[in-house]
Structure formats: structure tokens, C-alpha cells
Amino acid sequence: MQDISATRAPRCTRLDAICVVVLIAYFLHFALPARHGGFREDEMMNLWTYWYVGPVQSLFALGKFWTPSYRPGGALYYLPLYHFFGLNPFPYRIAQIGILIVSIPIAYWLARLLASSRSVAFLAILAFCYHPHVAQLVFIGAFIYDVLCGLFYFAALTYYVYIREKDAHLRPLQLLLFLALYICALNS
């Protein structure tokens, strides 16, 4: 007799992959014009904050997420981009759009886990890709903190729900991965 509880989580199929590709293409249709955007004042302030503190102190701040450090997760975005590209806004916009693209399959899989329906998950993430407030995340670089936080939060939640859907508890290594993702969300 087969244990039904071990097979509750939906499996990823070719149709799910097609849904994700369509969602990403739909998102890119609206997001690609943002790649030519420039910097705003907030971004210069954010970049200066991490540049002034330096990479070593920024890395130490990542481990102290409970302190009042200024969003240490942003240093992982700003400092490497500044090091390699200086003040050229194009790579910053591409990176921000890229992070949002990575978030789409994660959000789709979370919706798929929660709804257990491919069509409901597709429609939910379609609305997510087209929502008017997502335009701010795409076109305004200072919202990178929200983009990073959303990526890590959705990744942590999806990971947790995936394990719990299999009627399992998080083992120590799984718990560490979950907490690492969640701390990255807090740092952002």
C-alpha cells in the first residue's frame, strides 16, 4: 500500500517549465525598457554608504542582522557592481531585472505548492508580473532592497512549504538553509 502523504507536493513537469518561460517573457516585455534608466539620489546615497563602510565591515554586518546596520544585504548588490562597472547604471538595472526574473520561478513554485493547481499558480504569478507596483521595483533602482528581500523571503517560504508538503519536519541542515535564506531577507 502506497503512502499518499509522501506524494502531496506537486512534481515539476514540462508544462510547468513552459508556464515559467511564458511568465518570464511576459515580465521582460514590460521590464526591458528599464535597462536604460539612470540613477536617482537614493541610489547614490546607498552606494556611498557601503563604499564608506567598506566591504569588510559590510560583510561583518551581514552576520549581525539584529543590529541597526543599514541594510547590510544591499552591500552584496552595490559593492561588486561598483567595483566592476563604476557608476554606469546599465549593469545595475540589468542585475535588478535579473533578480526579479529569478524570483518568478520561485514565486510560481510557491503558488503551485499552495494552490496545487497549475492554472491558478500561472494566473497568480501573471498578475504578480503585471502588478503596477512591480513597475517601481523594475524602474527605480533604490527599491533593490525590496527586490532582494522578496527573492530571499519567497525562497525561504517556498523551501519551507515544499518540505512541509511532504509531511516532513526540517532536519538540522534544512533548518540551517531555511534560516540562512530568512536572514538574507532580513539583511535586505
Side-chain angles (χ1 to χ4, degrees):
M1 189 167 164
Q2 182 183 0
D3 183 17
I4 296 174
S5 64
T7 60
R8 278 171 69 188
R11 291 184 336 189
C12 187
T13 65
R14 184 175 297 148
L15 193 53
D16 288 315
I18 291 170
C19 287
V20 168
V21 168
V22 168
L23 289 166
I24 289 172
Y26 181 73
F27 173 76
L28 284 174
H29 173 74
F30 296 105
L32 281 180
R35 69 188 186 277
H36 298 299
F39 288 121
R40 293 193 176 188
E41 299 83 17
D42 288 349
E43 289 179 274
M44 293 292 97
M45 179 195 67
N46 296 336
L47 180 57
W48 179 85
T49 300
Y50 302 119
W51 176 83
Y52 181 75
V53 172
V56 174
Q57 286 299 103
S58 295
L59 285 176
F60 282 131
L62 286 170
K64 302 182 289 185
F65 60 92
W66 60 88
T67 64
S69 296
Y70 182 73
R71 300 174 178 178
L76 296 175
Y77 170 81
Y78 281 111
L79 290 178
L81 286 170
Y82 179 72
H83 175 76
F84 290 110
F85 303 106
L87 293 176
N88 179 5
F90 185 76
Y92 293 80
R93 298 292 74 80
I94 295 297
Q96 191 163 352
I97 292 169
I99 294 167
L100 285 164
I101 288 171
V102 170
S103 299
I104 291 171
I106 294 170
Y108 175 81
W109 188 246
L110 177 62
R112 184 88 164 83
L113 287 168
L114 294 174
S116 295
S117 167
R118 185 176 296 111
S119 57
V120 170
F122 180 80
L123 291 174
I125 303 309
L126 185 68
F128 173 77
C129 290
Y130 185 71
H131 196 279
H133 291 295
V134 172
Q136 293 177 339
L137 300 178
V138 174
F139 285 91
I140 302 173
F143 282 103
I144 188 62
Y145 301 111
D146 302 287
V147 172
L148 290 170
C149 181
L151 170 70
F152 291 120
Y153 178 78
F154 283 130
L157 183 59
T158 303
Y159 184 65
Y160 178 78
V161 170
Y162 175 73
I163 291 170
R164 295 297 291 156
E165 280 289 316
K166 295 191 297 186
D167 281 340
H169 296 286
L170 275 75
R171 290 175 290 187
L173 287 176
Q174 292 172 324
L175 182 61
L176 284 177
L177 177 59
F178 169 75
L179 289 175
L181 290 168
Y182 189 67
I183 289 170
C184 287
L186 290 174
N187 278 333
S188 299

